């Protein structure tokens, strides 16, 4: 018999627990966290500047059924896309994914920490979605099966969060 309460609870607490772990890391290693935040501010500013330049170059006055993202949103989308790429590649070949992180960081648009954090977020999000689906299953065996579908994503998130590229 599968008890749905722990599944629903886990699905609702995974993201806050990850945020708490990041806050604990910030408290434990404040100098490293401050350095990473400063690097992220610089690369974020560069992404926004590049997105603004692209916006100026693009043709004005086009009509779209859905509003285009702002330059800040576009810059965040680029980082999320890089994280998605790394998370997907990590599943097949961690060494190649680490090389991609280094390549992205060498370009100066992202830092390695930003890309790995985005990859952790992508993997965690996929795991949370799988757990949310499991929490709504009416059949206990289906709930158990859907919980198992979340495991590879959560394991991937832990592997990415603990990756040391140095």
């Amino acid at each position: 018999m599968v008890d749905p309460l722990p599944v629903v609870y886990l699905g609702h607490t995974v993201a806050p627990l990850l945020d708490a772990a990041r806050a604990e890391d910030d408290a434990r290693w404040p100098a490293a966290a401050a350095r990473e935040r400063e690097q992220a501010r610089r690369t974020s500013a560069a992404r926004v500047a590049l997105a603004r330049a692209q916006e100026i170059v693009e043709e004005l006055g086009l009509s779209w059924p859905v509003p285009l993202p702002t330059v800040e949103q576009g810059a965040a989308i680029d980082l999320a896309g890089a994280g998605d790429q790394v998370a997907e590649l990590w599943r097949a070949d961690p060494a190649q994914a680490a090389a991609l992180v280094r390549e992205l960081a060498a370009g100066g648009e992202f830092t390695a920490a930003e890309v790995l954090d985005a990859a952790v977020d992508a993997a965690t999000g996929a795991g949370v979605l799988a757990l949310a689906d499991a929490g709504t299953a009416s059949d206990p065996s289906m709930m158990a099966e859907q919980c198992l579908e979340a495991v590879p994503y959560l394991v991937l998130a832990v592997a990415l969060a603990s990756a040391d590229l140095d």
Side-chain angles (χ1 to χ4, degrees), residues 18 22 25 90 116-117 119-120 124 155-164:
L18 181 60
R22 285 182 175 154
D25 283 350
W90 197 280
L116 285 173
D117 283 348
V120 169
T124 302
V155 169
L156 175 62
V158 169
L160 288 163
S162 61
D164 184 10

Side-chain angles (χ1 to χ4, degrees), residues 45-59 71:
R47 282 192 305 278
V48 169
L50 179 62
R52 282 199 176 112
Q54 288 173 341
E55 185 179 68
I56 292 169
V57 171
E58 290 177 356
E59 188 176 344
V71 290

Side-chain angles (χ1 to χ4, degrees), residues 72-151:
E72 289 83 4
Q73 291 168 334
I77 289 169
D78 290 344
L79 178 58
D84 289 345
Q85 272 185 301
V86 169
E88 184 65 31
L89 188 56
W90 197 280
R91 293 172 62 167
D93 187 354
Q96 192 174 4
L100 176 59
V101 170
R102 287 186 193 96
E103 179 183 322
L104 290 167
E109 188 176 351
F110 308 111
T111 66
E114 285 177 309
V115 175
L116 285 173
D117 283 348
V120 169
D121 291 344
T124 302
V128 168
L129 288 174
L131 287 173
D133 283 348
T136 62
S138 58
D139 177 19
S141 63
M142 180 59 76
M143 181 180 285
E145 185 177 321
Q146 288 175 328
C147 283
L148 291 175
E149 289 176 14
V151 170

